Amino acid sequence: MDGGRLNRTRIKICGITRREDADAAVLAGADAIGLVAYPKSPRYVGPELAASLAKALPPFVTPVALFVNATRDEVGAYLDQYPGYLLQFHGDEDADECEQFGNAYVKAARMVEGFDLDAFANQHPRAQGILVDAWSEGYGGAGKTFDWSWLPERFDRPLVLSGGLEARNVAEAIARVRPWAVDVSSGVERSKGVKDASKIADFIKAVRAADLAETQLHDA
């Protein structure tokens, strides 16, 4: 699987709730931070706090606002505070619901055995990427991995791999899946919604080491 991938895996640190955690992610080299706009999540941040975290980011670090079956007004409340989010839809939203705001977006798929990811992606032709996560009773992967062999061998869209990633398994994930980006939340936490700066740094170092190993293998 390639999906237009280069030799540098992009990294999103999701579930940021504090400025110090956003700063730690940026310092360690994250490409994006995720702000959860789902009130049932322990990592929920409201529109004002989300905007303050987004506005504090330096150039070229992307703020991503994550929604689950939100109404137009609920999404609008965040965009009123900060119009520049990349949107991530993690619920049952169809393409029209995702596209109505005019912002670039990523659509999440909840993986189970036999799930047709190509057909799912075709339902969202304007999505800038497809995020794959473990299926759970709620929305979000609950910090669990899924069987990566369920993914198609070839997938021509930017693929964001999520679900149970942490420093100890992300290199294997990159070697096997070769995603465009990886997305981590609970794997770099001290407690729900509170990140651990050393775990963030270790995770990003592991990603970079995996990228280097892949490059060396390709050049050998």
Side-chain angles (χ1 to χ4, degrees):
M1 183 176 313
D2 197 296
R5 183 184 185 280
L6 300 177
N7 284 336
R8 188 175 77 81
T9 306
R10 274 62 178 175
I11 300 168
K12 173 170 164 264
I13 307 297
C14 198
I16 295 289
T17 63
R18 309 185 304 163
R19 170 68 185 272
E20 54 262 48
D21 295 339
D23 290 345
V26 169
L27 182 63
D31 299 284
I33 68 161
L35 303 163
V36 178
Y38 181 45
K40 293 183 180 180
S41 170
R43 302 170 183 89
Y44 169 76
V45 290
E48 293 80 10
L49 176 54
S52 71
L53 292 168
K55 291 173 183 177
L57 295 175
F60 312 121
V61 177
T62 303
V64 182
L66 187 158
F67 298 94
V68 178
N69 298 329
T71 67
R72 181 180 178 87
D73 287 345
E74 288 169 339
V75 177
Y78 283 81
L79 295 177
D80 286 345
Q81 295 287 330
Y82 186 84
Y85 290 116
L86 173 66
L87 305 182
Q88 181 176 319
F89 293 102
H90 232 283
D92 307 307
E93 305 89 356
D94 62 24
D96 289 342
E97 290 173 300
C98 296
E99 294 169 11
Q100 64 183 312
F101 306 100
N103 289 52
Y105 77 94
V106 171
K107 186 68 178 78
R110 304 164 70 199
M111 297 299 299
V112 295
E113 188 173 8
F115 183 83
D116 190 336
L117 190 63
D118 288 308
F120 179 86
N122 288 339
Q123 294 171 6
H124 294 272
R126 296 183 182 177
Q128 290 208 333
I130 301 297
L131 182 145
V132 288
D133 203 351
W135 187 93
S136 68
E137 290 291 341
Y139 292 92
K144 299 177 181 178
T145 58
F146 63 91
D147 189 335
W148 299 323
S149 70
W150 296 342
L151 296 168
E153 289 188 11
R154 296 190 63 82
F155 189 68
D156 63 0
R157 305 281 293 280
L159 186 83
V160 182
L161 180 63
S162 186
L165 297 178
E166 53 188 57
R168 68 178 178 84
N169 67 0
V170 72
E172 180 188 359
I174 290 170
R176 289 182 57 185
V177 177
R178 299 186 70 237
W180 171 262
V182 290
D183 187 321
V184 65
S185 183
S186 60
V188 293
E189 284 185 332
R190 187 181 313 141
S191 60
K192 288 186 177 180
V194 178
K195 303 305 184 197
D196 184 306
S198 63
K199 289 183 178 180
I200 292 174
D202 288 346
F203 182 85
I204 293 177
K205 287 177 184 176
V207 173
R208 297 294 169 241
D211 286 346
L212 179 60
E214 182 182 331
T215 299
Q216 291 172 337
L217 181 64
H218 183 270
D219 292 344

